[in-house]
Amino acid sequence: MTSDPARPFGRVLTAMVTPLAEDGSIDLSGAQELAAHLVDRQSHDGLVVFGTTGESPTISDGEQHAVLEAVMDAVGDRATVVAGVGTNDTAHSIEKAQSAARLGVHGLLVVTPYYNRPPQAGLLRHFTAVADATDLPVMLYDIPPRSSIPIEVETLVRAAEHPRIVAVKDAKADLGAVAWTLARTDLAYYSGEDMLNLPLLSLGAVGVVSVVGHVVGPRLAQLIAAVESGDLVTARAVNESLLPVYTGIFRTQGVIMAKAALKELGLPAGPVRPPLVDATPEQVAQLREDLVAGGVLR
C-alpha cells in the first residue's frame, strides 16, 4: 500500500473485472484469485473494484459488498483497494461509501453522476457530500463519454479544497484541461484512458487506472518509471509496444474484451451481464491477433 502523498493510491492500478460463474452469479473465489494474480504477478500496487469495468451498473449492492470483502481478504494487506461507489444518486453513493468504509477499503472512486446531467454546482455538492461521508481519500472519475457531463476545471479547483478529495481518474481526453488543473491544484492525476497513458503521464499524471493492466501490468510500471526518469525514448518504445493491446481491448466495450483476454490466459473472468454481450468467436480471434502483436500471447 502506498505511503506517498503525491500518489495516494499507488502507480499501477487496474479497474478490475468482476469474475462471474457461467450462470452469471458472482465468482468470489475467482475474484480473489484474479486480485492476487494482478497484485503478485502483474506489478499492481492497487486495484479499483467496481469501476465501470467491474460492471457496477448491473451488480447489486449486496454482491458488491461480498466482492469487496473477498478482495480485501485476498490482497488488502499488500495492495491499495479502491471501491467504486459513485452513482447518479447522492444518497445512494453515500450509503455505498459508508458500506465500503466499514469493510476497511483504502479509498473511494466517485464517478460523475450520469444521465441526470447535473450542473457544475450539483457535481461539486455531490462530490463533497460523498467525501464528507467517510474518512477515506477520494478519487473523482471524470468520464464525459459515459456521464455526458465533464468536470470543469473550476469545479475541480473547488473540489480540491476538500481535504479528502485528493485525486482524479481522467478519461476526458482534454489534455489542456488536465494541464490547467495540475497547474492550479495539488490533485494527483491518474490516466483512465489507456491510449492516452503516455501523454497524461508526460503532463504530470502519477499513475494509471487501467483496463489493459489486466494483462500488461509490468509494462505499465515500466512506462511510468521511464517517464519519471525522463527517459522518453524508452517511454515511447514501451508505449508503441502496447498499442496493439490498447486497440485490441477497446475494439468493443472494454470489459467484454478484458474478460475475453483473461479467458485466453486461463484466468477467472466468466461471462458479462446483460445488456452487455460476450465477445463473438470472430472478435476473440481478432483479439488473439492483437495480443500476439502486443506480446501478450505467442
Side-chain angles (χ1 to χ4, degrees):
M1 290 177 289
T2 181
S3 58
D4 182 354
R7 48 171 54 87
F9 301 104
R11 280 181 173 84
V12 178
L13 298 91
T14 274
M16 196 179 91
V17 304
T18 303
L20 301 178
E22 289 306 313
D23 66 358
S25 61
I26 298 290
D27 179 4
L28 290 178
S29 63
Q32 291 186 312
E33 180 185 343
L34 179 59
H37 171 81
L38 293 173
V39 172
D40 299 333
R41 303 188 65 182
Q42 283 289 321
S43 301
H44 289 61
D45 44 20
L47 299 173
V48 172
V49 184
F50 292 115
T52 310
T53 310
E55 298 180 80
S56 53
T58 53
I59 294 179
S60 72
D61 287 0
E63 290 172 322
Q64 291 189 29
H65 187 278
V67 172
L68 281 168
E69 186 173 38
V71 170
M72 284 296 296
D73 286 345
V75 300
D77 61 340
R78 60 190 187 279
T80 302
V81 177
V82 180
V85 300
T87 72
N88 62 350
D89 173 357
T90 303
H92 187 199
S93 297
I94 288 171
E95 290 171 7
K96 288 168 67 80
Q98 293 172 336
S99 174
R102 287 192 290 270
L103 288 174
V105 304
H106 307 113
L108 305 174
L109 178 75
V110 183
V111 71
T112 311
Y114 39 84
Y115 188 72
N116 43 18
R117 295 175 59 87
Q120 294 296 306
L123 296 187
L124 184 63
R125 184 177 296 183
H126 175 83
F127 293 141
T128 56
V130 178
D132 284 339
T134 79
D135 293 327
L136 294 172
V138 170
M139 178 189 296
L140 304 183
Y141 186 9
D142 192 4
I143 183 166
R146 291 185 183 274
S147 68
S148 83
I149 300 295
I151 311 175
E152 303 288 354
V153 173
E154 293 298 329
T155 304
L156 288 164
V157 171
R158 293 276 306 279
E161 296 171 1
H162 195 289
R164 287 187 290 281
I165 296 177
V166 298
V168 178
K169 176 185 176 183
D170 184 84
K172 187 160 56 181
D174 185 342
L175 297 179
V178 172
W180 270 115
T181 306
L182 286 168
R184 296 181 61 192
T185 75
D186 58 0
L187 290 168
Y189 257 73
Y190 288 81
S191 172
E193 187 167 350
D194 280 307
M195 191 61 84
L196 295 183
N197 285 342
L198 178 55
L200 282 163
L201 290 166
S202 69
L203 281 174
V206 300
V208 298
V209 178
S210 175
V211 178
V212 303
H214 283 95
V215 295
V216 292
R219 274 191 280 168
L220 292 176
Q222 184 185 8
L223 175 66
I224 295 166
V227 173
E228 290 190 342
S229 69
D231 185 356
L232 292 183
V233 172
T234 296
R236 285 196 295 268
V238 173
N239 189 66
E240 286 180 13
S241 79
L242 290 168
L243 291 176
V245 187
Y246 294 161
T247 296
I249 295 292
F250 290 101
R251 287 187 186 276
T252 183
Q253 222 272 16
V255 62
I256 293 172
M257 301 311 281
K259 283 193 165 184
L262 290 170
K263 291 176 188 176
E264 290 297 305
L265 294 168
L267 291 164
V272 294
R273 279 190 176 173
L276 299 182
V277 293
D278 293 322
T280 66
E282 293 78 15
Q283 287 173 323
V284 172
Q286 177 63 64
L287 176 64
R288 287 194 197 102
E289 294 182 16
D290 295 327
L291 295 179
V292 169
V296 176
L297 294 177
R298 293 183 179 180

